[in-house]
Amino acid sequence: MMSPLFLFGAQRSNAVLFIIFISSLVTSFSLSYGYDSLDPYANITITWDFRLQTGSTYDIKVSIYNFQQFRHLDRPGWKLSWIWQDDDQVIWDMWGAEAMEQGNCSKFRSSPQLPHCCKKQPVIIDFLPGAPYNKQFSNCCKGGELSSMIQDSSKFLSAFQMNVGFGKTNNITEVMPTNFTLGIPGYTCGDAFLVSPTRSSPDGRRWVQTLETWNVTCMYSQFRASPSPKCCVSLSAFYNSTIVPCPKCSCGCQGLPGAKCLKSGEKSPHLLELPRAQENEEVPPLVTCSQHMCPIRVHWHVKQSYKEYWRVKITITNLNFVKNYSSWSLVVQHPNLRSVTQLFSFNYHPLNTYGNINDTGMFWGIKSYNDMLLASGQSGNAQSEMLLQKDPGIFTFREGWTFPRRISFNGDECVMPPPDEYPTLPNSATTSRPSLVFFSFLILAFVF
């Protein structure tokens, strides 16, 4: 007959596995519908301000706000697009951004100057840094990149201004465009809706406001962004010689269509076979051949245990040969993050999304030191060590408690190994219950 303590331990282990399983289901459901429980109010808001009307033209200011705590917009950046309601609507001039195509402006051939863009569905891109001074605008010229709110709150906004002709009508409601898109995989934008006019005070004394202000809200879904994950997690610990690798085929499988990789030691001529991408396009990934085929691997190593503290080493490896990850970020969920004592080589910020629950934190690189994760190679990694205090009552090395519950890279959740494969303690250390030998002695004493 099994001891009650043994049964309790087994039930507790099964309960932990069940909770992790349910949590993964909830996370998958949330990601598919563009909701992230770690950042429930995350969105990108497009603000459309009608500032000035002159005859049949308006001066319009467009602002793009990244209201996401840990997800930023990397290059090639945003490509804002919409559809005009009227075929006669054109953009006469722009500051802080430009349309990718001018379109057919032949109907304005008699005008002293052709419009900047005559397309019914224009695609607007941000200027690169160093744009001509007379074409710049406040908060412009970042190449379409937007920082997350935590990493750099001064760079989460991009803006431009344009002079638009509205042809036959002057009614703002009838000329407000529809079908907004950001041009970034994973983002879906809703309909424009009227909000209170934007107010500003240039001199700090007198307040002025726009004629009308409309907002458009865009949400991100990881499943819409990519059919497969983009990162995975491997685990190890000082008390077990086993290194748990990323799950097989986490991001793809070798040999399947579209899976491109370079074997270890293979030369780089294969890189020349990749299609050349323009400045505003993303290059398809080419990764190191592995069982997981992920561009990014995050390794969590429980390094050392002290009397009152324990140490973790985090290593982020870029296995993508054709992309550098600038301004990268890592989000980790673990109950002991509330007791972070010291961190080396990374920045850290707790994500207290739900009041006093402090089990999630954001890590990112130090500017000009390791904020750029270089393409696969000797320098294609960033690592840090973290010292945490052992919380009395909850800390344990048993049942994989020291490993993270959830990890995401650049806002995309990484594939974790199954909980039953986590490194375990040696048999002599896994149990605090009486040993089998002890029970044998008890039985013999009872019999005799």
Side-chain angles (χ1 to χ4, degrees):
M1 180 178 180
M2 294 184 182
S3 69
L5 289 175
F6 179 82
L7 291 175
F8 173 76
Q11 290 173 356
R12 180 185 174 189
S13 178
N14 292 335
V16 170
L17 295 177
F18 179 75
I19 291 173
I20 294 175
F21 173 72
I22 294 298
S23 176
S24 65
L25 287 181
V26 172
T27 299
S28 300
F29 177 81
S30 300
L31 291 175
S32 65
Y33 283 88
Y35 173 82
D36 192 337
S37 60
L38 300 182
D39 192 8
Y41 305 107
N43 72 85
I44 290 182
T45 297
I46 303 167
T47 300
W48 190 281
D49 289 320
F50 289 88
R51 306 182 74 180
L52 179 67
Q53 179 181 6
T54 305
S56 60
T57 64
Y58 282 94
D59 284 344
I60 299 173
K61 177 186 176 182
V62 180
S63 305
I64 305 174
Y65 297 89
N66 183 18
F67 292 131
Q68 300 181 106
Q69 292 194 77
F70 48 79
R71 185 178 292 110
H72 70 283
L73 301 190
D74 201 357
R75 288 198 175 186
W78 54 264
K79 292 190 292 185
L80 185 61
S81 176
W82 60 80
I83 297 178
W84 295 116
Q85 295 191 49
D86 192 343
D87 292 335
D88 293 330
Q89 294 173 250
V90 296
I91 303 173
W92 283 101
D93 205 353
M94 294 191 71
W95 298 265
E98 61 183 349
M100 291 185 65
E101 297 183 35
Q102 185 182 30
N104 183 7
C105 297
S106 57
K107 64 173 65 176
F108 299 95
R109 66 183 64 187
S110 59
S111 301
Q113 179 181 355
L114 290 178
H116 176 80
C117 178
C118 299
K119 293 184 70 68
K120 184 177 179 64
Q121 187 175 4
V123 178
I124 311 300
I125 56 176
D126 193 10
F127 279 140
L128 295 172
Y133 183 76
N134 63 341
K135 298 299 292 183
Q136 293 185 21
F137 192 71
S138 60
N139 295 301
C140 83
C141 313
K142 304 183 181 77
E145 297 182 63
L146 290 177
S147 171
S148 64
M149 296 186 69
I150 289 179
Q151 282 178 275
D152 191 346
S153 58
S154 66
K155 296 181 180 179
F156 78 103
L157 163 65
S158 187
F160 61 89
Q161 181 169 301
M162 54 186 177
N163 181 261
V164 179
F166 289 104
K168 302 175 182 177
T169 177
N170 292 330
N171 188 334
I172 292 179
T173 304
E174 296 178 6
V175 299
M176 183 66 197
T178 60
N179 290 40
F180 282 84
T181 61
L182 280 174
I184 304 175
Y187 285 93
T188 303
C189 300
D191 296 330
F193 56 94
L194 190 64
V195 296
S196 300
T198 301
R199 301 172 73 245
S200 60
S201 179
D203 58 2
R205 301 179 63 185
R206 169 180 162 80
W207 288 86
V208 295
Q209 67 181 41
T210 59
L211 301 178
E212 274 191 17
T213 298
W214 294 70
N215 276 0
V216 177
T217 303
C218 304
M219 304 289 290
Y220 179 81
S221 167
Q222 181 176 340
F223 288 170
R224 287 181 177 271
S226 174
S228 60
K230 300 178 182 178
C231 58
C232 64
V233 179
S234 56
L235 307 170
S236 63
F238 70 89
Y239 50 77
N240 194 314
S241 59
T242 302
I243 298 177
V244 179
C246 289
K248 190 175 182 180
C249 295
S250 295
C251 304
C253 295
Q254 293 188 48
L256 292 181
K260 294 184 178 180
C261 67
L262 283 178
K263 296 180 180 179
S264 179
E266 193 171 358
K267 300 299 181 182
S268 59
H270 288 269
L271 297 175
L272 301 177
E273 300 176 3
L274 290 173
R276 292 181 60 85
Q278 303 297 325
E279 180 66 29
N280 54 359
E281 295 180 355
E282 188 169 356
V283 181
L286 176 64
V287 302
T288 304
C289 292
S290 63
Q291 67 169 6
H292 55 79
M293 294 291 286
C294 289
I296 294 293
R297 182 186 64 219
V298 181
H299 185 73
W300 179 281
H301 176 62
V302 181
K303 187 175 182 179
Q304 208 163 357
S305 176
Y306 307 99
K307 182 178 180 181
E308 297 181 357
Y309 301 91
W310 61 296
R311 184 184 291 265
V312 173
K313 182 177 181 180
I314 303 173
T315 304
I316 309 169
T317 305
N318 183 5
L319 301 174
N320 191 347
F321 284 96
V322 293
K323 182 173 182 178
N324 298 328
Y325 292 88
S326 61
S327 302
W328 58 268
S329 66
L330 190 75
V331 174
V332 177
Q333 188 174 27
H334 191 284
N336 214 163
L337 286 180
R338 67 185 184 184
S339 300
V340 173
T341 303
Q342 193 172 8
L343 186 71
F344 307 90
S345 305
F346 285 178
N347 291 306
Y348 175 76
H349 188 277
L351 299 175
N352 301 328
T353 307
Y354 301 100
N356 297 326
I357 302 177
N358 183 10
D359 65 350
T360 309
M362 174 180 172
F363 303 82
W364 69 97
I366 298 173
K367 190 171 181 61
S368 302
Y369 175 60
N370 59 359
D371 62 330
M372 173 77 76
L373 195 57
L374 299 177
S376 183
Q378 293 183 352
S379 302
N381 68 83
Q383 49 188 318
S384 174
E385 293 192 6
M386 177 172 51
L387 194 66
L388 304 100
Q389 188 174 13
K390 295 180 178 179
D391 289 341
I394 65 170
F395 178 83
T396 178
F397 283 116
R398 296 180 58 194
E399 299 169 351
W401 188 90
T402 54
F403 298 107
R405 310 301 188 260
R406 178 179 176 185
I407 287 183
S408 65
F409 179 81
N410 280 354
D412 289 329
E413 185 164 357
C414 303
V415 179
M416 296 282 296
D420 57 351
E421 294 184 7
Y422 286 5
T424 58
L425 285 167
N427 290 335
S428 60
T430 55
T431 174
S432 60
R433 57 184 177 269
S435 65
L436 182 61
V437 175
F438 176 75
F439 278 112
S440 300
F441 276 114
L442 287 179
I443 294 172
L444 288 173
F446 177 78
V447 170
F448 286 103

